[in-house]
Amino acid sequence: MMRVLTLNLWGLGGLWPKRRSVLVDGLRQLQPDLVAFQETIVRPGYDQVAEVLGADYHIAHQSLGLVAASEKGFHGVSTASRWPLINVREVDLHVTPRTADFPCTALMAHVRTPVGDVLFVNHLPSWQLDFEYERELQAVATARAIEAALAGHPGHVVVADDMDADPTATSIRFWTGRHSLSGMSVCYRDAWESRNPGDPGHTYTPDNPLVVVPDWPFRRIDYILVSCGAHRGTTLEIAGCQRVFAEPVHGVWASDHFGVMADLALPSK
């Protein structure tokens, strides 16, 4: 079994010392093996991911297209793993001039896990409501990079991310095999949809008081996607999927997003 988690950390926003305590305790209890964080802060002498996870993880940070967050440092994506991160690479997702002011990227790494070799992809596209065109281009760019990374190095693929689009968006439908783009088609299984059919699974919702715009139209925007193989469904069995950090602890919410966590295993058949 391998446990994967994705969470937008929301940088140092809000009451960070209190949020940090909730995150440290929660992550210690959840014990994820692979983690995709978005909106993380790194600056000289300070690593937000190391602060919340401790010393038991290998960590890689985005280096391309970072955006300064004033005195707080640089804000981007970070990947953490219990096992070494091999051949870490990035896909620059600044696909149009409109994307220049956001650290859109895909951070990819091979990981040798108990369930086999995994290409773990932390994909962060553009967030703006009217940027679905860019999210489509970014999805294709990352999918092509995944195919290139797998050439001569087959294995499972897990894409974990804040995709800033809901399941009906074309970019998400592309990932889940329901729409082709730019002469390309792929199919990844949405872990939430697999284990919670019919449940909306909102991760960015006014139920969380840290959400600044209560009427934000996209409500389920955080995903764990698992590669599908020929003549079969997913290459790894999705044993379970749940939202995490979806309730306050002593009145403190961990982030403005809820996280998503999935347990993955080798297929039983």
Side-chain angles (χ1 to χ4, degrees), residues 6 8 38 102 105 121-128 131-132 134-136 138-139 142-143 146 158-167 169-176 188 190 203 216 218 220-226 257:
T6 184
N8 186 313
Q38 303 84 37
F102 185 71
T105 193
V121 183
N122 189 347
H123 173 77
L124 183 67
S126 296
W127 64 272
Q128 291 91 328
F131 277 35
E132 178 60 17
E134 280 78 5
R135 285 188 286 273
E136 292 174 11
Q138 290 160 339
T142 298
I146 290 171
V158 177
V159 181
D161 41 47
D162 167 11
M163 284 195 170
D164 286 304
D166 66 22
T170 300
S171 57
I172 306 302
R173 293 175 66 239
F174 167 78
W175 281 112
T176 57
Y188 291 78
D190 176 351
T203 59
W216 195 262
F218 306 151
R220 182 156 84 87
I221 61 176
D222 301 87
Y223 299 83
I224 295 173
L225 307 175
V226 182
H257 288 238

Side-chain angles (χ1 to χ4, degrees), residues 19-68:
R19 292 202 301 115
R20 177 182 58 209
S21 295
V22 171
L23 287 161
V24 168
D25 291 344
L27 290 165
R28 186 182 298 121
Q29 292 173 16
L30 295 171
Q31 290 291 300
D33 298 310
L34 295 176
V35 189
F37 286 122
Q38 303 84 37
E39 295 192 26
T40 60
I41 299 295
V42 179
R43 62 180 182 234
Y46 179 72
D47 182 331
Q48 185 181 25
V49 173
E51 182 178 35
V52 297
L53 280 179
D56 295 334
Y57 291 83
H58 302 266
I59 300 172
H61 298 295
Q62 176 181 354
S63 62
L64 299 175
L66 289 168
V67 174

Side-chain angles (χ1 to χ4, degrees), residues 201-219:
H202 295 163
T203 59
Y204 193 75
T205 163
D207 293 342
N208 182 343
L210 298 183
V211 170
V212 176
V213 182
D215 199 28
W216 195 262
F218 306 151
R219 298 289 178 86

Side-chain angles (χ1 to χ4, degrees), residues 2-269:
M2 176 179 69
R3 176 162 284 183
V4 179
L5 186 149
T6 184
L7 177 66
N8 186 313
L9 278 181
W10 195 39
L12 301 176
L15 299 174
W16 171 242
K18 292 185 177 181
R19 292 202 301 115
R20 177 182 58 209
S21 295
V22 171
L23 287 161
V24 168
D25 291 344
L27 290 165
R28 186 182 298 121
Q29 292 173 16
L30 295 171
Q31 290 291 300
D33 298 310
L34 295 176
V35 189
F37 286 122
Q38 303 84 37
E39 295 192 26
T40 60
I41 299 295
V42 179
R43 62 180 182 234
Y46 179 72
D47 182 331
Q48 185 181 25
V49 173
E51 182 178 35
V52 297
L53 280 179
D56 295 334
Y57 291 83
H58 302 266
I59 300 172
H61 298 295
Q62 176 181 354
S63 62
L64 299 175
L66 289 168
V67 174
S70 66
E71 75 285 352
K72 294 178 180 178
F74 286 93
H75 142 270
V77 307
S78 303
T79 294
S81 168
R82 290 199 182 275
W83 310 286
L85 295 164
I86 303 166
N87 197 16
V88 178
R89 69 197 81 179
E90 294 181 60
V91 184
D92 187 350
L93 297 183
H94 293 94
V95 293
T96 73
R98 297 204 300 176
T99 63
D101 63 348
F102 185 71
C104 39
T105 193
L107 183 62
M108 308 193 307
H110 290 281
V111 188
R112 293 182 180 135
T113 80
V115 298
D117 285 353
V118 172
L119 180 64
F120 190 48
V121 183
N122 189 347
H123 173 77
L124 183 67
S126 296
W127 64 272
Q128 291 91 328
L129 291 175
D130 59 344
F131 277 35
E132 178 60 17
Y133 172 68
E134 280 78 5
R135 285 188 286 273
E136 292 174 11
L137 296 177
Q138 290 160 339
V140 171
T142 298
R144 291 197 190 283
I146 290 171
E147 289 196 350
L150 291 178
H153 192 111
H156 310 291
V157 183
V158 177
V159 181
D161 41 47
D162 167 11
M163 284 195 170
D164 286 304
D166 66 22
T168 63
T170 300
S171 57
I172 306 302
R173 293 175 66 239
F174 167 78
W175 281 112
T176 57
R178 296 175 172 96
H179 195 99
S180 62
L181 287 171
S182 302
M184 184 182 191
S185 59
V186 297
C187 187
Y188 291 78
R189 188 69 167 117
D190 176 351
W192 179 265
E193 180 185 55
S194 170
R195 304 312 305 167
N196 303 278
D199 188 323
H202 295 163
T203 59
Y204 193 75
T205 163
D207 293 342
N208 182 343
L210 298 183
V211 170
V212 176
V213 182
D215 199 28
W216 195 262
F218 306 151
R219 298 289 178 86
R220 182 156 84 87
I221 61 176
D222 301 87
Y223 299 83
I224 295 173
L225 307 175
V226 182
S227 56
C228 294
H231 309 296
R232 62 184 304 161
T234 53
T235 64
L236 290 171
E237 179 180 337
I238 302 168
C241 185
Q242 61 184 291
R243 294 187 308 177
V244 294
F245 299 110
E247 299 288 342
V249 177
H250 304 302
V252 179
W253 296 80
S255 175
D256 61 341
H257 288 238
F258 300 154
V260 181
M261 185 176 74
D263 289 324
L264 307 178
L266 288 172
S268 55
K269 295 182 181 180

